[in-house]
């Protein structure tokens, strides 16, 4: 390059980088405004209009599920609490009734056990007998077909035993049950080829089938009334799925199911939302990580995440990050070029996978 051409070249490159920086700044500003604007649009009270009606919350015995149930009760809705541990649910139900002056009923149920109530379940839950089938038919023939082949039909029987019509009284459904831990498994993180059929099937039922069957059971009543809210709790692992094959795959199905339902129900008064939490300071995360977890910048408390979820049921995005911290964690990755995103998304899980493998090896040595 000649001496005379060099200054011209440098001037043009300087102008190019200046424009590139300008457009990059505009793009970042656009993404921030879109996130913040969407968040403010969703911050509307969507639950008060259902005061006195019923909300069904699964996985309500601790952590995020319990906190969501408390915040829904604070809006004046009665709550049906579902989980395996009856003792925990009884204590929570008593606390909710005393604090918020609403009804709270307990259904101890194991989503893994194909319709079998959890050990110690309330005797009011009717098992799958001929009498139970007759009562379902009497409750309304238009809904019977949605129950007769649904593994969760025992839940509908249990609700009727409390005087709650599962099709006419339920206004809000929160599908929170789920998790990546398999009892007896050394870790929740394995490479794809190392996942066993047993563990894969377990996580499919816990994270996928539970949500699908719950919606299939309760949505027909909402459609009949043309009102209601369905809240699906998925996971940000749908965007960072490495080494979490069954869990992240089933949660990805929940995201797709939410999009499909929202599109089908768009011109109705039924709202469907899916939230994508990342790390939350709960006993579940502590169990999965094998170490004590405290609320902090990267792991917000279950209470603050529940506040965010219940406060973001207004109009706007269908798939929603569940907390401002989780938005920040995900937003900076989305700003990267696609070819850079893949390794960046995979590196955290690669590091965690190596940690769990090393820990397992050390335990075997001991």
């Amino acid at each position: 390059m000649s001496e005379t051409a060099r200054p011209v070249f440098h001037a043009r490159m300087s102008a190019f980088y200046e424009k590139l920086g300008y457009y990059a700044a505009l793009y970042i500003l656009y993404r921030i405004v879109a996130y913040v604007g969407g968040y403010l649009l969703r911050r509307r009270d969507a639950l008060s209009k259902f005061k006195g009606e019923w909300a069904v919350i699964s996985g309500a015995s601790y952590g995020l599920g319990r906190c969501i149930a408390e915040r829904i009760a604070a809006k004046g809705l009665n709550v049906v609490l579902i989980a395996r541990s009856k003792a925990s649910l009884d204590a929570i139900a008593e606390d909710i009734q005393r604090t918020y002056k609403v009804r709270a009923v307990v259904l101890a149920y194991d989503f893994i056990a194909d319709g079998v109530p959890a050990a110690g379940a309330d005797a009011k839950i009717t098992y799958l007998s001929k009498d139970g089938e007759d009562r379902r038919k009497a409750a309304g023939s238009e809904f019977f077909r949605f129950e007769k082949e649904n593994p969760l039909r025992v839940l509908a029987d249990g609700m009727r035993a409390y005087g709650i019509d599962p099709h006419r009284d339920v206004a809000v459904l929160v599908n929170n049950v789920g998790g990546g831990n398999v009892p007896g498994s050394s870790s929740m993180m394995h490479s794809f080829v190392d996942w066993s059929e047993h563990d894969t099937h377990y996580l499919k039922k816990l994270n996928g089938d539970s949500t699908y069957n719950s919606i299939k059971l309760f949505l027909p009543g909402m459609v009949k009334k043309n009102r209601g809210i369905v809240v699906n709790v998925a996971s940000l692992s749908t965007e960072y799925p490495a080494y979490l094959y069954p869990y992240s795959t089933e949660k990805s199905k929940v995201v797709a199911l939410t999009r499909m339902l929202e599109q089908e129900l768009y011109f109705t008064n039924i709202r469907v939302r899916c939230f994508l939490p990342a790390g939350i300071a709960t006993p579940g995360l502590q169990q999965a990580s094998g170490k004590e977890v405290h609320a902090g910048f990267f792991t917000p408390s279950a209470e603050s995440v529940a506040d965010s979820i219940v406060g973001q049921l207004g109009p706007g995005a269908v798939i929603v990050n569940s907390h401002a911290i989780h938005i920040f964690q995900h937003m900076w990755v989305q700003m990267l070029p696609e070819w850079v995103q893949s390794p960046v998304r995979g590196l955290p899980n690669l590091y965690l996978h190596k940690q769990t493998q090393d820990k397992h090896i050390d335990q075997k040595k001991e």
Side-chain angles (χ1 to χ4, degrees):
M1 183 181 296
S2 65
E3 291 298 324
T4 55
R6 194 181 302 274
V8 176
F9 172 78
H10 285 307
R12 288 178 177 177
M13 289 303 297
S14 177
F16 169 77
Y17 286 126
E18 185 178 335
K19 288 183 178 179
L20 186 63
Y22 172 74
Y23 288 122
L26 279 181
Y27 175 73
I28 293 172
L29 180 62
Y30 160 75
R31 295 305 297 260
I32 293 173
V33 170
Y35 270 111
V36 174
Y39 176 79
L40 294 176
L41 181 65
R42 292 187 297 272
R43 295 292 295 182
R44 296 186 187 179
D45 183 3
L47 293 176
S48 294
K49 62 183 177 183
F50 299 115
K51 186 176 182 179
E53 298 184 63
W54 286 89
V56 176
I57 303 101
S58 65
S61 59
Y62 69 91
L64 182 60
R66 172 179 181 165
C67 293
I68 290 175
E70 290 171 344
R71 279 141 186 82
I72 290 176
K75 296 291 184 180
L77 282 78
N78 304 308
V79 291
V80 178
L81 308 175
I82 305 173
R84 283 179 291 188
S85 174
K86 184 178 185 301
S88 297
L89 291 178
D90 283 339
I92 295 167
E94 183 180 344
D95 183 59
I96 285 176
Q97 290 182 129
R98 182 178 60 253
T99 305
Y100 303 108
K101 311 304 179 187
V102 298
R103 287 185 66 193
V105 303
V106 167
L107 294 178
Y109 182 83
D110 190 346
F111 283 90
I112 302 298
D114 283 328
V116 178
D122 197 304
K124 288 185 177 181
I125 295 183
T126 304
Y127 288 80
L128 307 182
S129 63
K130 184 68 169 63
D131 292 340
E133 185 172 306
D134 288 342
R135 191 165 65 255
R136 291 185 213 114
K137 285 182 178 179
S141 59
E142 76 237 73
F143 297 115
F144 175 65
R145 64 190 178 95
F146 297 109
E147 285 190 37
K148 63 181 181 179
E149 294 180 354
N150 194 317
L152 308 189
R153 56 194 176 274
V154 69
L155 291 179
D157 284 342
M159 291 173 66
R160 290 194 186 99
Y162 284 109
I164 307 165
D165 189 313
H167 301 296
R168 294 182 176 86
D169 296 337
V170 175
V172 178
L173 170 63
V174 180
N175 291 306
N176 173 69
V177 68
N181 299 313
V182 179
S185 178
S186 60
S187 170
M188 66 178 289
M189 302 189 78
H190 304 283
S191 62
F192 175 77
V193 296
D194 291 330
W195 277 99
S196 69
E197 287 300 315
H198 170 272
D199 289 2
T200 299
H201 184 64
Y202 182 96
L203 293 177
K204 176 180 181 295
K205 292 183 69 177
L206 182 62
N207 295 287
D209 293 352
S210 62
T211 296
Y212 169 81
N213 289 324
S214 295
I215 294 173
K216 198 74 172 176
L217 186 64
F218 295 109
L219 183 61
M222 295 183 186
V223 172
K224 180 75 174 180
K225 298 181 299 181
N226 190 28
R227 67 197 304 266
I229 298 176
V230 177
V231 179
N232 297 325
V233 179
S235 168
L236 199 58
S237 72
T238 56
E239 301 288 338
Y240 305 83
Y243 301 102
L244 295 169
Y245 154 59
Y247 177 72
S248 59
T249 299
E250 294 306 316
K251 290 301 188 181
S252 295
K253 291 179 184 177
V254 171
V255 172
L257 177 64
T258 304
R259 290 191 188 279
M260 181 204 74
L261 289 172
E262 176 65 18
Q263 291 171 17
E264 290 185 4
L265 300 170
Y266 185 80
F267 294 104
T268 71
N269 293 319
I270 302 168
R271 188 167 294 148
V272 187
R273 293 291 179 268
C274 184
F275 290 88
L276 306 178
I280 305 173
T282 65
L285 181 62
Q286 186 164 311
Q287 181 184 356
S289 63
K291 58 184 179 181
E292 194 171 350
V293 177
H294 299 283
F297 182 77
F298 291 105
T299 51
S301 67
E303 291 80 4
S304 64
V305 175
D307 284 333
S308 180
I309 288 176
V310 173
Q312 291 190 79
L313 297 177
V318 179
I319 313 300
V320 185
N321 289 106
S322 60
H323 194 275
I325 291 173
H326 299 155
I327 291 174
F328 171 78
Q329 291 173 357
H330 186 45
M331 182 174 66
W332 74 269
V333 177
Q334 286 187 309
M335 291 179 179
L336 299 173
E338 184 67 31
W339 60 273
V340 178
Q341 286 189 29
S342 185
V344 169
R345 290 173 190 269
L347 283 173
N349 285 4
L350 176 63
Y351 171 74
L352 292 173
H353 173 62
K354 188 176 185 310
Q355 273 196 325
T356 56
Q357 291 297 100
D358 292 344
K359 181 180 177 181
H360 182 57
I361 291 170
D362 291 340
Q363 287 175 343
K364 289 181 72 175
K365 288 179 180 178
E366 294 173 3

